[in-house]
Amino acid sequence: MPGIIDRLRQRAKDLKRDINAIYLASRDPRTPWPVRWLAIAIVAYALSPIDLIPDFIPVLGYLDDLVIVPGGIFLLVQLIPPEVMREHRLAASNREHAAGGRAAAAVIVGIWLLCSGFAVWAAYRYFRH
């Protein structure tokens, strides 16, 4: 069982790295423009609240997200020139290990804490009367 979990963790790390590499490659002039547009379309689909099959339909609602987005990522990895993908995978791996990600996470957590504190303060003032 630990072997399966380790493989799934590694695949998740690889997927995260590839998504970052695709982002970087989509901004690289060596990447053909149709591939750039496809990358934008896949990211837009992944972030869009509109799906081919609405999410409120049990099982099928999430099935399109589980097939289209990873399939699109796989297709993009195949379409991006190998030397460009290799270069940006390396850059994406280096970015993961940079301290900037931790600093950005700290800023986001700080903003959430401030917003939460403000919400508690506002609720206290509202319900105090």
Side-chain angles (χ1 to χ4, degrees):
M1 202 60 160
I4 293 172
I5 292 172
D6 290 337
R7 283 189 302 213
L8 286 174
R9 278 191 186 133
Q10 186 58 45
R11 286 187 97 125
K13 284 182 182 179
D14 291 346
L15 182 63
K16 181 179 176 185
R17 181 206 60 212
D18 282 352
I19 291 170
N20 200 350
I22 288 169
Y23 167 74
L24 295 171
S26 70
R27 302 180 73 185
D28 191 313
R30 296 173 292 170
T31 302
W33 66 266
V35 177
R36 290 182 188 186
W37 282 105
L38 182 61
I40 291 169
I42 290 170
V43 168
Y45 180 79
L47 298 176
S48 171
I50 301 170
D51 290 337
L52 291 177
I53 303 171
D55 289 341
F56 64 81
I57 297 174
V59 182
L60 293 177
Y62 292 105
L63 189 62
D64 67 333
D65 294 330
L66 291 173
V67 172
I68 292 174
V69 175
I73 291 169
F74 177 77
L75 179 63
L76 285 169
V77 168
Q78 302 304 311
L79 292 175
I80 294 172
E83 67 278 356
V84 174
M85 194 63 192
R86 195 171 21 259
E87 177 183 324
H88 291 299
R89 275 182 173 153
L90 181 62
S93 292
N94 291 339
R95 281 176 109 186
E96 286 179 10
H97 301 299
R102 290 192 181 118
V107 168
I108 291 170
V109 168
I111 291 170
W112 275 103
L113 289 173
L114 283 172
C115 290
S116 298
F118 177 75
V120 168
W121 174 79
Y124 172 75
R125 289 193 43 107
Y126 179 78
F127 290 115
R128 185 176 68 167
H129 298 298

